[in-house]
Amino acid sequence: MLLLIAAFGIVLLGAFAQSVSGFGFALVTVPLLAMVIDPRTAVVVTALTNIALNVAATARDRRHVRWRVTGALTATALVGVPIGLLVLVTLPERLLSVLIAVVVLGCVALVWSGVRLRTGRAGIGAVGVLVGVLTAATGTNGPPLVAVFHSLGYDPRTFRATLAAVFAGAGLIALTGFALAGRIDGEVLRLSLATLPAVPLGWWLGNLVFDRIPPLVFRRIVLVGLLGSAGAALAAVAA
């Protein structure tokens, strides 16, 4: 019961963060869930609950989605997902936990730096492959997309909607891979079903403040929180 309560709270926090800033669900949930359950289960549970969040967000904000960019990123993510699955299945749990924490720290640095990535066909294709790898291996696929969309100059609504559409597409591909690899078992389904109600609740709470908190301010709050979660995950592995 305590595990389910903790997992529910973590998913709620992740959904709230993504609702307000457009990203952060997996970056929040994966390292924190990996502290209370094994990292492989944390990645798959996050993927399952994240699908519901992103499909609903995409449907609601579909008018703001840049579909051509979404299609290009999702198509190239197909190349990266098998590589990420190989990492997820073969890497020892302790090393996988370290990898998740290190990826989160790297993602925080990428977003915080405000770096702009190339947005030509080759640049978007490379980011799509990276998104596929990160989606399947660690679940933390947002920051490369944040960097690309920042370079494209998307407004907050377009930014959030297009992120959700790419997350949904890449997530569905990854879930197919998880199923084929036998990673969706009874424990994963139990945790996913128990925490699923936290997704709409967190999104609703985030929407209440979406237009009231400057996006830059909230993004910095999320990034500080991610530094803390990644640091805590590394400390747990080292203990």
Side-chain angles (χ1 to χ4, degrees):
M1 181 60 68
L2 288 176
L3 170 61
L4 293 179
I5 293 173
F8 187 94
I10 290 168
V11 171
L12 177 69
L13 182 61
F16 177 82
Q18 183 150 329
S19 176
V20 176
S21 66
F23 75 101
F25 183 84
L27 289 170
V28 170
T29 58
V30 174
L32 293 179
L33 283 175
M35 295 174 65
V36 296
I37 56 178
D38 69 272
R40 291 190 180 91
T41 301
V43 171
V44 182
V45 168
T46 295
L48 279 168
T49 52
N50 206 6
I51 282 294
L53 172 66
N54 289 310
V55 169
T58 302
R60 201 192 78 160
D61 293 333
R62 59 189 178 277
R63 291 179 299 174
H64 301 282
V65 175
R66 297 297 175 90
W67 291 107
R68 182 175 296 181
V69 172
T70 297
L73 288 166
T74 303
T76 50
L78 277 167
V79 178
V81 165
I83 301 171
L85 279 173
L86 183 63
V87 173
L88 179 75
V89 172
T90 60
L91 206 65
E93 286 189 6
R94 192 176 185 87
L95 287 179
L96 184 59
S97 294
V98 172
L99 176 63
I100 289 169
V102 169
V103 168
V104 171
L105 289 173
C107 289
V108 170
L110 178 64
V111 176
W112 209 312
S113 69
V115 66
R116 294 176 179 270
L117 301 181
R118 292 180 59 188
T119 54
R121 290 184 179 180
I124 288 178
V127 169
V129 174
L130 179 59
V131 166
V133 173
L134 292 177
T135 299
T138 66
T140 53
N141 56 4
L145 297 173
V146 171
V148 166
F149 296 164
H150 177 66
S151 300
L152 290 170
Y154 287 170
D155 64 85
R157 289 283 179 186
T158 300
F159 180 91
R160 188 175 73 164
T162 309
L163 270 179
V166 178
F167 287 156
L172 287 171
I173 295 169
L175 284 178
T176 302
F178 293 148
L180 292 174
R183 302 310 308 177
I184 301 179
D185 54 21
E187 177 68 8
V188 166
L189 291 175
R190 183 177 72 92
L191 283 170
S192 299
L193 289 173
T195 57
L196 193 58
V199 173
L201 178 59
W203 187 265
W204 176 74
L205 290 172
N207 261 331
L208 292 179
V209 298
F210 179 69
D211 294 318
R212 301 177 185 178
I213 297 179
L216 182 59
V217 172
F218 189 81
R219 184 173 297 181
R220 288 174 177 170
I221 294 172
V222 171
L223 291 175
V224 170
L226 292 176
L227 285 174
S229 68
L234 285 174
V237 172

